[in-house]
Amino acid sequence: MSAALEVTNLTTDIQLSRSVVHPVGNVDVKIDPGQTLGLVGESGSGKSMLGLSILGLLPNGGHIVEGSIKVEDRELVGMAEPALRRIRGDAVSMIFQDSQSSLNPTKTVGEQVAEPVRLHRGASRKEATDRALEVLELVGMPQPKERLGTYPHQLSGGLRQRVMIAIALACEPRVLIADEPTTALDVTIQAQILALLDDLRDRLGMATLLITHDMGVVAGRTNRINVMYAGRVVETAPTDRLFSAMRHPYTQGLLGAIPRLESDNRRALTSIPGIPPDLTNPPPGCRFAPRCPFVTEKCIEHEPPLSGSDSIHRFACWHPVDGPIKRTPQIASVDSSVPKRSNGDAAHLLEVKDVFREYPITAGVLQRKVNSVKAVSGVTLHVDAGETLGLVGESGCGKTTLGKLIVGIEKPDSGQITLDGREVFKLRGRTLRKARRDVQMMFQDPYASLDPRMRVQASLREPLVIQGIGSRKEQDERVRRMLSEVGLPANAVERYPHEFSGGQRQRIALARALMLEPKVIVADEPVSALDVSIRSQVLNLMKRLQAEFNMASVVISHDLAVVKYLSDRIGVMYLGRLVELGSGDDIYRRAAHPYTDALIKTIPVPDPVVERSKDDAGIRGELPSPINPPSGCRFRTRCPRAQQKCADEVPELRRFGPGHRAACHFPLQTPILGVDADASPDVAVA
Amino acid sequence: MTDPIRPVVEGVPGAGGGGMAVRLPLESTPPEGGDVQVIASGWRLALREFLANRLAVVGLAVLVFFVVFCFLGPVVYHTNQSLTNPLITDLPPGGSHVLGTDDNGFDELGRIMAGGQTALEIGFFASFIATVIGTLWGAIAGLAGGIVDGILMRIVDILLSIPYLLIVLVLATKYSATVFDESMIIGLFAWLVPARLVRGEVLTLRERDFVSAARVMGSGRSRLVLRHLIPNALSVVIVNVTFQIADAILILAYLGFLGFGLQYPAASWGDMLGSAQQYVSSGYWWLVYPVGGCLVAVVLACNLVGDALRDAFDVRLRKR
């Protein structure tokens, strides 16, 4: 049987005005019908360009230099555009990452799904619409008949992605290219979409190329994985073998760099130092050599070929490693003793009491308030000095709003936020500005959080200038010290933000937040915009500095593993409410709330054995709108244990152990009696 | 594996020990965060993009030519532009008068130079006034938001709905028409467009994280406006300046044409065109076409430069 897709020795160039980028070099890919190949790599590794090359959709200036692309023995390289157009969306189709921008907002879902059928099958409008209905049913769209007439903006992200898949499948393609199909989605929805793709592949027998940066996504869903680095395939192996016995140091580092839920958060993550090479002028030898711990002269001079002892597992390395890293060093300064204890209410550094924040929705000429988005509803929590609290939840759960409330960018509608017993953000004018130095924030997007027109020197000095701390010379001195603290060269002060990579910018942002030596630092998704190898660098750095500066922090992320790695305690949020609060182990091993439990189950784990053993797709359904949240327990609409009581009564936070609380009527653990948990002193967790 | 985590204590060599002690070890080993690549600055990229646009370079050359021609020209080409001479009226081009003379006996080429001086002076000065007022107004409105924004922008809307050429005409007759006065009058009406542009830009900028970051540090409003919002909105402003110059020169021409221009003996291209219109049919072409051509050339050059600047600053349009 011939392969559904066979790419041999493909090399692609992109001509820029002054240079040539080589995003894909000598890549081989082969997928049999009914198989899924995972293509894993960081941003800029050329994985998306490979996908686009297959479809002949390279950006301006892009062209295939050499190689061949065969779909069921038809050669696509050199094929004329009209012929290629007949293949696109028919024999080969693609699912893009961003369903928001990939769907036409002015056309109904039905028309868009029917379009490829009309184009490729010459079907009448009626036949095409029937087919569209069929495909929408196939992709598990609820009430498909009603959805035919809706527009993309009326659907949620998960449903839009289903529409994208329906469009791709409308003509029963032989090859499906899924480019980061779930990256823009929440974990619970991601699990649903991945399960759907799996199921469809089995039923339709197409070959799937799954392009992603996430090792967890490919672990349970692929037969084989190609790892790409800087335009080259550096390792290719059957999935199990790649995870258990990888040979390339890059693969090894990449896997070690991912924080895991089950791992001990006192150990540092493996990190790959440095940043990927510039593909306009790649290094002559092994492209990974500058970042490789095993580098020798030979690596720098000669590029290793993709070879191996057997034909199924091949790798491009002169000094292959043998399987995953065994142990990583312990972070020197992290206190390995018992977690910090809370000693009564009085000593809490930061206290959030019953805080509400709603954004009004107005309508009509008079801007009457008709409803509101309930972003944060009655959250109570506290952070002690030197402690890290993690906040985790899906998008729209109110975690970012809560973070903004804590730093005072937003003001609560009701409730109190106190720092050292003082309601800081009720202050006004100069006193407020002075008080702000105690709470600083690190933002999600490293590209937006630094002023593009300010040199690093000015950006880092700014907090000191505003707060009037030190003479100019002292300020400069502190800037230099902080830069070396976050691992940046001293010459960075002269540079503008756009000259840094994402990870470096996040280091600068962290340095800026630390300049004032705040008591509390709020980090909103500090690593979600970064690549895996860079992510672990920043996480390790944050962990080290947390301990070194002994400040309290609030880490906000959608990624439970990131939060667990950085935090002493974790708060889980759902639709504006705090549903569970406890230590990392409480949350991971003794989750009391069904939502927490489902969240843990749906997170893709970079381990094929664990991933395959998952039997269900976790939480069903979509996140309800925060404008009209469900009555009673807000999770009840998606909860497998929901009963009448959940709709009638809002569950209170109940105690399940020392420092472990959850708000659920029918929890997975037995609560400890006595609701008034605050009075009893918390005991250290063994 | 090498240990990627630097031991904490050794990670900060000589933490309190002054600059030199910190530097040396950092330069010898690559820092943990990787080296910094030197990339051309945003301004330099914009300059490169600008220079790649041929029309823009032509436009810029035309502008430079006119500045030299109008301001240095009279130094080498001496003419009498203050005393009328009835003996040499309406001479055709040739002899000592390269472009002939007008009905007052002024040398036409010298008059174009003098008119060009006032046109360029008023163009630059008026656009400067308009830009300063407009930028501050827009930035304050955009940052303040709410009622302040509402009031400030409604004022702009009201002023925009008044046929301002009428007001300018009335003002021009009331006040003595010197270069300074005309610039003020034109500038005081032309700031409305940059005010709207800057407000729009600030509205998007103020939601950016770096502005929030400055707020969290305790930055006051004036610092936000002056250090963060205006520098980042500058590209929009610079593009607008070129169009403002072109507009001011045109308005000055209208005023002059209608007879409300600068007072005698000051020359302006509009005045020259206005007084020459009666001669078009009489075959005195040298009184109309050269000055008209100069006006078109300067305005067109400003617009070309403006278009190219917009393309150069707009990252989305930039070819890499």
Side-chain angles (χ1 to χ4, degrees), chain A residues 5 29 31 37-39 50-51 54 176-179 207-211:
Chain A
L5 174 73
V29 173
I31 318 175
L37 178 86
L39 192 62
L50 177 63
I54 294 168
L176 178 68
I177 301 170
D179 187 0
T208 309
L209 179 65
L210 182 59
I211 303 175

Side-chain angles (χ1 to χ4, degrees), chain B residues 114-186:
Chain B
Q117 278 182 22
T118 58
L120 289 172
E121 277 167 13
I122 291 175
F124 283 111
F125 195 42
S127 72
F128 176 75
I129 295 170
T131 303
V132 170
I133 299 177
T135 304
L136 286 173
W137 192 284
I140 291 167
L143 181 67
I147 294 175
V148 181
D149 180 34
I151 293 172
L152 290 180
M153 292 325 285
R154 291 305 79 73
I155 292 174
V156 170
D157 288 345
I158 290 166
L159 289 176
L160 271 174
S161 61
I162 296 172
Y164 83 104
L165 204 58
L166 270 180
I167 308 276
V168 172
L169 285 177
V170 172
L171 286 175
T173 48
K174 267 200 115 110
Y175 297 97
S176 66
T178 63
V179 168
F180 179 75
D181 294 337
E182 295 255 316
S183 306
M184 289 301 278
I185 291 168
I186 295 172

Side-chain angles (χ1 to χ4, degrees), chain A residues 7-259:
Chain A
V7 175
T8 20
N9 199 27
L10 184 76
T11 301
T12 301
D13 277 1
I14 298 174
Q15 178 74 46
L16 304 182
S17 57
R18 272 167 186 76
S19 53
V20 179
V21 183
H22 314 284
V24 179
N26 313 99
V27 168
D28 295 337
V29 173
K30 184 167 176 273
I31 318 175
D32 289 327
Q35 301 274 300
T36 300
L37 178 86
L39 192 62
V40 185
E42 297 178 271
S43 55
S45 63
K47 57 189 194 307
S48 288
M49 283 302 155
L50 177 63
L52 294 173
S53 303
I54 294 168
L55 282 171
L57 292 174
L58 286 169
N60 272 347
H63 59 104
I64 292 169
V65 180
E66 61 168 316
S68 109
I69 301 167
K70 280 193 180 138
V71 172
E72 293 189 320
D73 291 328
R74 262 182 301 174
E75 177 64 53
L76 301 193
V77 174
M79 191 181 261
E81 182 61 26
L84 208 50
R85 242 188 338 250
R86 275 198 294 279
I87 288 178
R88 262 183 231 146
D90 189 8
V92 185
S93 60
M94 187 152 181
I95 303 170
F96 295 91
Q97 174 176 354
D98 186 0
S99 59
Q100 177 104 54
S101 61
S102 304
L103 291 174
N104 185 342
T106 62
K107 278 182 151 187
T108 63
V109 164
E111 282 177 75
Q112 296 190 55
V113 179
E115 197 176 1
V117 186
R118 285 170 63 83
L119 285 173
H120 293 294
R121 298 276 182 271
S124 71
R125 189 174 286 269
K126 172 83 181 55
E127 287 163 358
T129 311
D130 288 347
R131 173 68 187 153
L133 186 62
E134 222 176 282
V135 195
L136 284 177
E137 247 163 50
L138 185 72
V139 299
M141 177 71 83
Q143 299 147 347
K145 209 163 189 129
E146 286 77 49
R147 301 288 182 202
L148 283 176
T150 56
Y151 287 90
H153 71 267
Q154 295 169 299
L155 301 177
S156 68
L159 291 184
R160 273 201 303 265
Q161 201 62 18
R162 281 178 197 263
V163 174
M164 290 279 297
I165 296 173
I167 295 173
L169 296 184
C171 288
E172 296 174 335
R174 308 314 308 149
V175 179
L176 178 68
I177 301 170
D179 187 0
E180 305 270 12
T182 57
T183 307
L185 304 174
D186 278 317
V187 274
T188 55
I189 310 295
Q190 164 167 303
Q192 294 172 8
I193 297 289
L194 288 175
L196 171 70
L197 280 175
D198 247 17
D199 176 48
L200 290 171
R201 184 204 56 213
D202 291 345
R203 276 156 67 185
L204 306 176
M206 60 199 168
T208 309
L209 179 65
L210 182 59
I211 303 175
T212 179
H213 68 281
D214 190 338
M215 288 295 241
V217 167
V218 287
R221 316 264 168 206
T222 55
N223 308 94
R224 191 179 183 80
I225 295 175
N226 281 12
V227 180
M228 277 189 89
Y229 182 78
R232 300 287 153 107
V233 172
V234 293
E235 185 160 11
T236 168
T239 304
D240 287 306
R241 199 140 150 202
L242 187 92
F243 280 93
S244 60
M246 76 280 289
R247 306 301 308 272
H248 200 285
Y250 175 66
T251 318
Q252 189 196 42
L254 205 57
L255 267 173
I258 304 170

Side-chain angles (χ1 to χ4, degrees), chain B:
Chain B
M1 285 291 298
T2 51
D3 181 0
I5 308 288
R6 288 182 298 149
V8 174
V9 187
E10 287 144 43
V12 198
M20 288 316 288
V22 179
R23 264 190 179 183
L24 288 171
L26 275 176
E27 278 165 3
S28 54
T29 56
E32 182 191 312
D35 278 316
V36 187
Q37 293 175 26
V38 180
I39 308 173
S41 75
W43 294 100
R44 192 163 304 162
L45 280 179
L47 180 70
R48 202 152 83 186
E49 182 70 19
F50 181 85
L51 292 178
N53 184 336
R54 296 246 176 82
L55 277 177
V57 177
V58 171
L60 193 64
V62 169
L63 278 186
V64 171
F65 166 77
F66 269 98
V67 170
V68 173
F69 168 74
C70 297
F71 288 93
L72 295 183
V75 179
V76 280
Y77 185 77
H78 298 282
T79 53
N80 174 14
Q81 297 292 340
S82 53
L83 288 173
T84 54
N85 185 351
L87 296 176
I88 54 163
T89 57
D90 298 330
L91 291 179
S96 61
H97 302 288
V98 178
L99 276 180
T101 58
D102 67 5
D103 54 343
N104 287 323
F106 293 138
D107 180 85
E108 185 69 10
L109 182 62
R111 196 120 188 106
I112 288 176
M113 290 175 184
Q117 278 182 22
T118 58
L120 289 172
E121 277 167 13
I122 291 175
F124 283 111
F125 195 42
S127 72
F128 176 75
I129 295 170
T131 303
V132 170
I133 299 177
T135 304
L136 286 173
W137 192 284
I140 291 167
L143 181 67
I147 294 175
V148 181
D149 180 34
I151 293 172
L152 290 180
M153 292 325 285
R154 291 305 79 73
I155 292 174
V156 170
D157 288 345
I158 290 166
L159 289 176
L160 271 174
S161 61
I162 296 172
Y164 83 104
L165 204 58
L166 270 180
I167 308 276
V168 172
L169 285 177
V170 172
L171 286 175
T173 48
K174 267 200 115 110
Y175 297 97
S176 66
T178 63
V179 168
F180 179 75
D181 294 337
E182 295 255 316
S183 306
M184 289 301 278
I185 291 168
I186 295 172
L188 285 177
F189 278 89
W191 60 269
L192 304 166
V193 174
R196 279 189 153 182
L197 283 175
V198 171
R199 173 181 173 264
E201 190 71 14
V202 166
L203 280 184
T204 66
L205 284 173
R206 73 167 189 187
E207 298 301 322
R208 297 268 286 276
D209 284 346
F210 67 86
V211 175
S212 299
R215 282 212 173 116
V216 172
M217 291 169 208
S219 165
R221 289 222 164 141
S222 56
R223 187 182 174 86
L224 282 184
V225 171
L226 296 175
R227 293 303 298 273
H228 293 288
L229 297 178
I230 289 183
N232 279 286
L234 214 56
S235 55
V236 181
V237 173
I238 290 172
V239 171
N240 186 252
V241 165
T242 56
F243 296 119
Q244 290 281 342
I245 294 173
D247 280 355
I249 291 173
L250 279 181
I251 289 165
L252 182 70
Y254 299 148
L255 288 176
F257 186 79
L258 295 171
F260 299 97
L262 297 168
Q263 272 175 344
Y264 182 82
S268 88
W269 289 347
D271 285 326
M272 291 162 70
L273 282 172
S275 51
Q277 58 166 334
Q278 48 192 307
Y279 303 109
V280 180
S281 49
S282 338
Y284 296 162
W285 58 268
W286 59 92
L287 295 185
V288 181
Y289 296 115
V291 62
C294 289
L295 187 64
V296 171
V298 171
V299 172
L300 185 65
C302 284
N303 285 329
L304 287 178
V305 170
D307 278 340
L309 282 176
R310 180 163 51 203
D311 293 356
F313 282 125
D314 195 333
V315 182
R316 283 164 301 175
L317 297 177
R318 193 178 284 166
K319 302 187 279 290
R320 275 178 303 158

Side-chain angles (χ1 to χ4, degrees), chain A residues 17-18 271 433 436 439-440 448-449 451-453 462 466-467 481 484-485 487 489 498-499 504 507 512 540 548, chain B residues 4-6 8 12 15 31-35 37 39-40 42 210 213 215-219 223 228 231-232 320:
Chain A
S17 57
R18 272 167 186 76
S271 77
R433 290 213 287 276
R436 280 193 188 273
V439 189
Q440 289 292 300
S449 63
D451 188 333
R453 298 260 185 257
E462 191 175 26
I466 289 172
Q467 294 287 344
R481 219 163 54 216
S484 79
E485 193 82 33
H498 73 267
E499 295 175 83
Q504 289 175 328
R507 284 169 192 266
R512 182 179 59 183
N540 281 336
E548 206 176 308
Chain B
I5 308 288
R6 288 182 298 149
V8 174
V12 198
E32 182 191 312
D35 278 316
Q37 293 175 26
I39 308 173
F210 67 86
R215 282 212 173 116
V216 172
M217 291 169 208
S219 165
R223 187 182 174 86
H228 293 288
N232 279 286
R320 275 178 303 158

